[in-house]
Amino acid sequence: MADVREDQTNLSWKDPMWLQYFPLNAQTVLDYFALSIFYDRTCNNETCRMQRLELDKLKSMRGIEYILLYAQENNGMFVIRKQFRESPDRIFPLAAYYVIGGAVYQAPSAYAVISSRLQKSLYHINKSLSTITDNIKFVALTGHTWGYLEQESAQKEAKVIAPTTFDAAEKALKAAYQMLEDTP
């Protein structure tokens, strides 16, 4: 039995034998999902299955149930929602699962997605701010200056001034010719 509070977004489930014998479509996907590790055997869907009731009876029951929220049969993609039904009109979503190509996954919560994106953006903001603070200089006469541009121009000048190995070899050859000409 999977508890909705557990993070199961790193798990997946697939039954290749079932898929060989039955097509995965909007009518069979809930039966396929009932075999998965994500399925809660105490749900109302299981009660209906045991008593051979139609799934329409779920609306009159109170408790946890699974519904097919979205189906795109041509791509083999289905979204199943786990929800708590309090009354025929009042439901509370608990989790979402998706089936793609026969593999069942738990969808991450909105909190997990937003938290992950915020952490990633804060990391990059922190990295850029530390780069800025490393390159700011304060001189009493001029105030705050940006040292990054000075470092960049100093590196360009160093590249221009620094002799290459070809220049050094050329100078050595000229010096050798000069010595040959000066000797009698």
Side-chain angles (χ1 to χ4, degrees):
M1 273 183 268
D3 186 8
V4 84
R5 286 176 236 117
E6 294 178 27
D7 182 23
Q8 297 180 327
T9 55
N10 59 342
L11 301 177
S12 67
W13 179 86
K14 188 173 189 174
D15 187 356
M17 293 297 289
W18 194 93
L19 293 171
Q20 282 181 353
Y21 294 106
F22 303 104
L24 198 56
N25 55 39
Q27 288 75 33
T28 61
V29 72
L30 284 176
D31 294 328
Y32 180 69
F33 182 78
L35 301 172
S36 76
I37 57 175
F38 303 108
Y39 187 72
D40 184 359
R41 306 259 182 257
T42 61
C43 69
N44 291 341
N45 296 61
E46 190 67 20
T47 305
C48 287
R49 287 179 67 183
M50 295 294 221
Q51 296 177 4
R52 299 194 186 274
L53 300 173
E54 293 294 321
L55 289 179
D56 296 339
K57 300 287 184 192
L58 287 174
K59 292 185 179 182
S60 63
M61 299 174 85
R62 185 176 187 275
I64 293 176
E65 63 184 37
Y66 294 93
I67 62 159
L68 178 62
L69 191 63
Y70 177 78
Q72 194 173 26
E73 291 184 29
N74 56 349
N75 292 337
M77 187 178 107
F78 306 92
V79 178
I80 297 169
R81 181 170 65 192
K82 181 178 185 178
Q83 60 190 18
F84 181 81
R85 183 174 296 276
E86 191 173 272
S87 68
D89 301 345
R90 193 164 176 174
I91 58 168
F92 299 100
L94 299 175
Y97 303 91
Y98 54 98
V99 181
I100 298 177
V104 181
Y105 307 93
Q106 181 179 0
S109 66
Y111 173 80
V113 171
I114 292 170
S115 174
S116 172
R117 298 234 174 140
L118 279 174
Q119 285 177 354
K120 188 175 183 180
S121 62
L122 287 175
Y123 168 77
H124 290 293
I125 289 171
N126 188 22
K127 190 174 177 183
S128 62
L129 287 176
S130 67
T131 302
I132 288 171
T133 56
D134 290 344
N135 291 305
I136 291 179
K137 295 180 182 176
F138 179 77
V139 179
L141 294 174
T142 59
H144 286 89
T145 58
W146 180 249
Y148 184 72
L149 297 175
E150 293 171 8
Q151 289 175 356
E152 205 173 78
S153 63
Q155 288 174 352
K156 286 181 182 176
E157 289 175 11
K159 287 180 184 176
V160 172
I161 296 171
T164 62
T165 54
F166 180 75
D167 292 336
E170 186 179 10
K171 285 182 182 178
L173 281 175
K174 284 183 182 179
Y177 282 127
Q178 196 65 304
M179 286 176 38
L180 286 175
E181 288 178 0
D182 291 343
T183 56

